[in-house]
């Protein structure tokens, strides 16, 4: 199979068929391009503005997403595709090649903070990462109403595996998002604070799209369960939102009735490291806890005779995330707890 190399203007998301592309965005340093792999399936009943896009590697050291989408590329049969399905297993190729969260070998920008005004359009915001954001905005958003952004914790945090979204004002959109999120089968579904600027999912939500984020693993490794949840969740979303014919059964914690939902919205959910040190996990992610419970210990080996600082749960509920790498920065959110919520149905 030949993968055609095109500029964004050369992508065809309309003609029925399968097409495999490298989207070429100009390299900042050499005569050449960054090549973003993108596969599109278009069925006979594709509608203008309707479709599903799934991204892996928004952050370059999170690997379940790229692997899940690599499998989905093989799972999809063109004859089953009714609408439009766009798969981008490695969105931030610059960060993925560096094996880091941000595009450290290029402009050093975090793609999931790059969806800001004038990204890719003016000096200072014209590096590869901001131009990837501009590409998503201009070439992809107009063709999809379902957006899936597959993350894992990278080197920052370990997670109770989850799907995620922000609290949504529109009740219809909110309900569709929650249902879509549950079908991944993860133990946890979370809603999280929406104050961080420049996030890909925040922009998709603001545009009214059914938007799902995930945290499918951590530590730059690959969890088999995380790949399975991602692969299944994308397929289920494509079916339930009219882009793929077929049926799916519930999996994992969704099927078992053990899935939980939690909110990490209020500031108390985030326990902040008061000094740079080394973090020791005491309680596991996913455990039920009470506010004040000690979840981990922060050691200061420069003052080794001091007692370690207890990192406590901020709210009653569940441990959603905590520091992965032992060395942590002052100010880092080393423990995140969430309040349990009821599902809408
Ligand atoms: Zn991420």
């Amino acid at each position: 199979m030949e993968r055609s190399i095109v500029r964004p203007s050369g992508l065809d998301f309309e003609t029925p068929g399968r097409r495999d592309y490298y989207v070429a965005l100009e390299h900042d340093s050499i005569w050449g391009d960054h090549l973003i792999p993108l596969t599109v399936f278009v069925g006979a009943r594709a509608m203008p503005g309707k479709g599903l896009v799934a991204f892996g590697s928004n952050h370059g050291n999170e690997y379940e997403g790229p692997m899940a989408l690599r499998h989905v590329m093989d799972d999809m049969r063109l004859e089953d595709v009714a609408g439009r399905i766009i798969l981008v297993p490695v969105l931030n190729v610059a960060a993925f090649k560096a094996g880091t969260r941000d595009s450290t070998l290029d402009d050093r920008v975090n793609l999931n903070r790059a969806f800001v005004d004038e990204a890719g359009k003016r000096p200072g915001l014209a590096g590869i990462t901001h131009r990837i954001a501009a590409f998503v905005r201009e070439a992809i958003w107009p063709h999809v109403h379902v957006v899936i952004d597959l993350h894992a914790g990278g080197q920052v945090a370990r997670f109770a595996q989850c799907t995620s979204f922000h609290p949504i004002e529109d009740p219809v959109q909110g309900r569709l998002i929650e249902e879509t999120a549950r079908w991944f089968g993860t133990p946890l579904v979370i809603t999280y604070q929406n104050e961080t600027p420049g996030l890909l999912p925040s922009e998709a939500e603001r545009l009214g799209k059914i938007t799902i984020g995930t945290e499918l693993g951590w530590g730059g490794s690959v969890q088999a369960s995380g790949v399975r949840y991602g692969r299944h969740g994308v397929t289920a979303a494509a079916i339930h939102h009219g882009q793929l014919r077929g049926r799916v059964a519930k999996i994992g914690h969704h099927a078992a009735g053990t899935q939980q939902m939690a909110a990490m919205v209020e500031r108390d959910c985030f326990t902040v490291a008061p000094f740079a040190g080394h973090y020791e996990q005491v309680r596991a992610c996913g455990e039920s806890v009470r506010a004040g419970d000690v979840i981990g210990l922060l050691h200061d080996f420069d003052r080794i005779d001091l007692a370690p600082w207890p990192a406590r749960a901020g709210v009653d509920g569940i441990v959603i995330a905590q520091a992965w790498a032992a060395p942590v920065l002052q100010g880092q959110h080393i423990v995140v707890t969430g309040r349990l919520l009821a599902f809408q149905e």
Side-chain angles (χ1 to χ4, degrees):
M1 183 202 67
E2 194 74 10
R3 201 166 260 277
S4 47
I5 300 176
V6 299
R7 293 285 177 206
S9 60
L11 292 164
D12 178 359
F13 291 152
E14 304 298 340
T15 311
R18 170 181 175 156
R19 284 170 294 280
D20 296 278
Y21 296 109
Y22 279 121
V23 183
L25 300 184
E26 200 162 321
H27 202 288
D28 289 320
S29 174
I30 60 165
W31 283 3
D33 299 300
H34 290 278
L35 301 181
I36 302 171
L38 183 152
T39 292
V40 61
F41 299 83
V42 182
R45 279 190 259 147
M47 311 254 291
K50 298 285 184 189
L52 175 147
V53 66
F55 300 112
S57 190
N58 177 330
H59 290 136
N61 58 356
E62 303 175 6
Y63 299 107
E64 284 86 351
M67 292 185 189
L69 294 182
R70 180 62 190 80
H71 290 301
V72 173
M73 279 168 56
D74 287 346
D75 295 342
M76 290 283 166
R77 297 189 316 165
L78 181 60
E79 57 267 36
D80 295 334
V81 175
R84 180 180 294 103
I85 298 168
I86 303 170
L87 303 173
V88 189
V90 181
L91 177 60
N92 190 348
V93 281
F96 190 77
K97 293 213 162 119
T100 53
R101 178 177 175 84
D102 306 339
S103 311
T104 46
L105 299 178
D106 292 86
D107 57 14
R108 312 182 72 83
V109 171
N110 177 347
L111 177 58
N112 211 29
R113 302 291 183 273
F115 285 76
V116 294
D117 286 349
E118 295 192 77
K121 297 294 163 198
R122 66 170 174 81
L125 292 176
I128 180 61
T129 316
H130 285 110
R131 286 186 287 113
I132 292 172
F135 155 67
V136 170
R137 272 182 178 161
E138 292 164 10
I140 297 191
W141 286 165
H143 302 286
V144 297
H145 70 303
V146 182
V147 175
I148 298 172
D149 188 25
L150 299 170
H151 287 252
Q155 296 300 332
V156 181
R158 76 178 92 195
F159 275 90
Q161 288 164 302
C162 60
T163 46
S164 63
F165 49 89
H166 298 112
I168 302 288
E169 277 178 32
D170 175 0
V172 175
Q173 186 192 9
R175 185 185 176 84
L176 287 171
I177 287 176
E178 185 183 305
E179 283 175 10
T180 306
R182 295 197 66 184
W183 274 87
F184 283 71
T186 51
L188 194 60
V189 174
I190 63 169
T191 62
Y192 65 113
Q193 57 78 18
N194 199 8
E195 290 164 12
T196 310
L199 270 64
L200 180 155
S202 301
E203 177 156 304
E205 286 169 349
R206 277 197 303 277
L207 294 169
K209 300 183 191 302
I210 296 158
T211 308
I212 308 293
T214 69
E215 301 290 354
L216 297 175
W218 57 87
S221 65
V222 174
Q223 307 294 313
S225 55
V227 176
R228 179 166 174 253
Y229 296 143
R231 184 177 182 174
H232 186 80
V234 170
T235 305
I239 291 172
H240 293 145
H241 297 292
Q243 306 307 302
L244 182 68
R245 283 181 285 269
R247 295 172 68 93
V248 273
K250 296 175 182 176
I251 65 163
H253 293 263
H254 189 211
T258 51
Q259 199 169 46
Q260 291 182 297
M261 180 150 145
M264 45 175 260
V265 174
E266 60 199 290
R267 186 71 192 169
D268 284 348
C269 295
F270 303 90
T271 306
V272 179
F275 55 88
H278 289 80
Y279 180 76
E280 174 192 358
Q281 168 181 289
V282 175
R283 303 281 296 273
C285 292
E287 282 192 39
S288 296
V289 293
R290 310 280 301 178
D293 285 358
V294 176
I295 310 303
L297 297 170
L298 185 59
H299 296 268
D300 181 349
F301 286 98
D302 289 336
R303 295 182 295 169
I304 196 164
D305 297 307
L306 294 184
W309 183 80
R312 297 180 187 278
V315 299
D316 290 348
I318 187 167
V319 181
I320 293 176
Q322 56 190 313
W324 160 250
V328 300
L329 303 172
Q330 185 184 39
Q332 186 172 334
H333 298 167
I334 51 175
V335 171
V336 183
T337 42
R339 286 189 198 281
L340 290 173
L341 296 176
F343 288 112
Q344 289 194 31
E345 53 178 277

